[in-house]
Amino acid sequence: MYFYLYDSFLQEKRYIKKLAEIEGRLIDLMIQGKIIKLNILSHIKELIYSAVRAGAETVVVLGDDKTISQAIASVVNLDITLGIIPLGRKNSLGKLLGIPKGLKACEILAKRIKERIDVARVNGNYFAFCLKALSPYIKIFSPDNQYCLSLLSPKMEVSVYNFKPSGVKLKANQPMADFFIPQDGYMELVVKDLSCPIDKILFKKKGEIGSYTILPFKHIRLEPSVLKKDVRLLLDGYKIIKAPVEIDVLAGKISVIVGRERQF
């Protein structure tokens, strides 16, 4: 049973024709289902849980990156498959999963190629793509609190990625397979322009690549390095939380429909 969840911005007049074409194609492919539309009074998690109670086995979200990220965070503990139809202006996450924008996504849904991907839990919140520290005043603690890494310059940046970010360039002799695999049970902490030694940090692998240091991990802790200094963290581009945080990678936690052009 399919359940289609429309983001609230799709009620704008410019999407009427696009949605009609999509709904018609879903009928042609015999994968139509119940449609629910988000509004300012509804919450995406509540609607998804309600759909599951009603028998939904596949939840398809129509919207942009924010919608997709919120849906992923909502289905972490559910035994369902998540599909997406990217619409709107920001659709980089659809590309990572190999899902084209708009009408063409219907063909991917019909083929129903499913993969399980990792997600991370951060103090009760979840993300599947990226976490970014909005301040350089941060300490990175390795598993078991044996060692920690502090940034030495306010120009340094700390991020956590599940998929390979477009800005990170790997050297020719550095195997791509070592990093950014959203199915290996690890995520990668990336420190930009790192200038301090990291040899004593106990992670799965270590690699200094150009101006980046990449540290794969299953568990990590981030704390402010300066007393009374707030460190905000941005989860998947839409939700802000404050450090300190514990980050745990949950291997293969969600099932998603993907396309052949997926970037993993």
Side-chain angles (χ1 to χ4, degrees):
M1 179 179 175
Y2 284 81
F3 171 86
Y4 292 87
L5 181 61
Y6 290 23
D7 201 344
S8 57
F9 72 83
L10 297 178
Q11 298 179 41
E12 297 175 13
K13 185 178 294 186
R14 57 178 167 166
Y15 292 107
I16 293 177
K17 182 179 179 181
K18 292 180 181 180
L19 291 176
E21 292 174 343
I22 289 171
E23 291 167 8
R25 186 59 183 146
L26 294 174
I27 293 173
D28 293 340
L29 296 168
M30 300 180 69
I31 54 172
Q32 71 272 26
K34 185 177 180 180
I35 295 173
I36 298 293
K37 299 179 180 179
L38 278 167
N39 58 57
I40 59 174
L41 299 178
S42 59
H43 190 280
I44 190 168
K45 184 174 182 178
E46 295 174 355
L47 294 178
I48 290 176
Y49 271 68
S50 176
V52 172
R53 289 193 294 268
E57 298 175 348
T58 301
V59 174
V60 180
V61 178
L62 287 77
D64 56 14
D65 287 350
K66 180 180 178 181
T67 321
I68 295 167
S69 296
Q70 289 177 326
I72 287 175
S74 300
V75 304
V76 166
N77 296 310
L78 298 176
D79 185 21
I80 62 171
T81 296
L82 181 69
I84 66 171
I85 297 180
L87 289 167
R89 296 178 179 176
K90 295 182 179 181
N91 289 288
S92 60
L93 303 186
K95 293 179 181 179
L96 294 176
L97 299 175
I99 310 295
K101 190 175 179 180
L103 187 62
K104 293 182 179 179
C106 299
E107 313 300 325
I108 306 298
L109 289 176
K111 292 177 182 178
R112 203 171 171 80
I113 300 173
K114 298 187 291 183
E115 295 285 352
R116 299 200 71 87
I117 65 172
D118 308 333
V119 300
R121 180 176 57 222
V122 190
N123 290 11
N125 301 284
Y126 298 92
F127 72 94
F129 297 97
C130 177
L131 175 151
K132 290 189 176 182
L134 302 180
S135 167
Y137 302 105
I138 195 164
K139 281 186 178 180
I140 304 161
F141 289 84
S142 64
D144 301 321
N145 300 327
Q146 293 179 333
Y147 305 96
C148 75
L149 172 67
S150 295
L151 306 188
L152 299 182
S153 168
K155 295 182 180 180
M156 293 180 180
E157 299 176 354
V158 174
S159 303
V160 173
Y161 294 99
N162 199 14
F163 294 77
K164 181 182 178 297
S166 59
V168 174
K169 306 296 183 182
L170 303 184
K171 289 182 178 179
N173 62 352
Q174 177 64 54
M176 174 68 77
D178 285 354
F179 304 114
F180 308 113
I181 305 169
Q183 297 176 303
D184 64 353
Y186 290 83
M187 286 195 184
E188 278 67 34
L189 184 141
V190 177
V191 182
K192 186 176 182 180
D193 296 324
L194 188 65
S195 59
C196 63
I198 60 168
D199 292 339
K200 293 184 178 181
I201 305 297
L202 298 183
F203 290 94
K204 176 190 172 189
K205 304 185 187 84
K206 298 182 285 290
E208 293 197 26
I209 300 170
S211 59
Y212 297 87
T213 293
I214 301 176
L215 305 173
F217 70 92
K218 288 187 175 182
H219 173 84
I220 206 169
R221 189 169 87 254
L222 305 179
E223 293 186 0
S225 60
V226 178
L227 189 63
K228 296 183 180 179
K229 197 83 171 181
D230 281 345
V231 174
R232 297 184 301 163
L233 308 171
L234 180 63
L235 276 61
D236 275 347
Y238 80 95
K239 186 169 187 175
I240 292 178
I241 62 173
K242 290 184 178 181
V245 298
E246 302 271 348
I247 305 176
D248 294 287
V249 180
L250 309 177
K253 191 63 175 177
I254 62 171
S255 173
V256 294
I257 296 176
V258 299
R260 289 185 178 180
E261 303 299 320
R262 62 189 180 275
Q263 297 181 24
F264 61 96

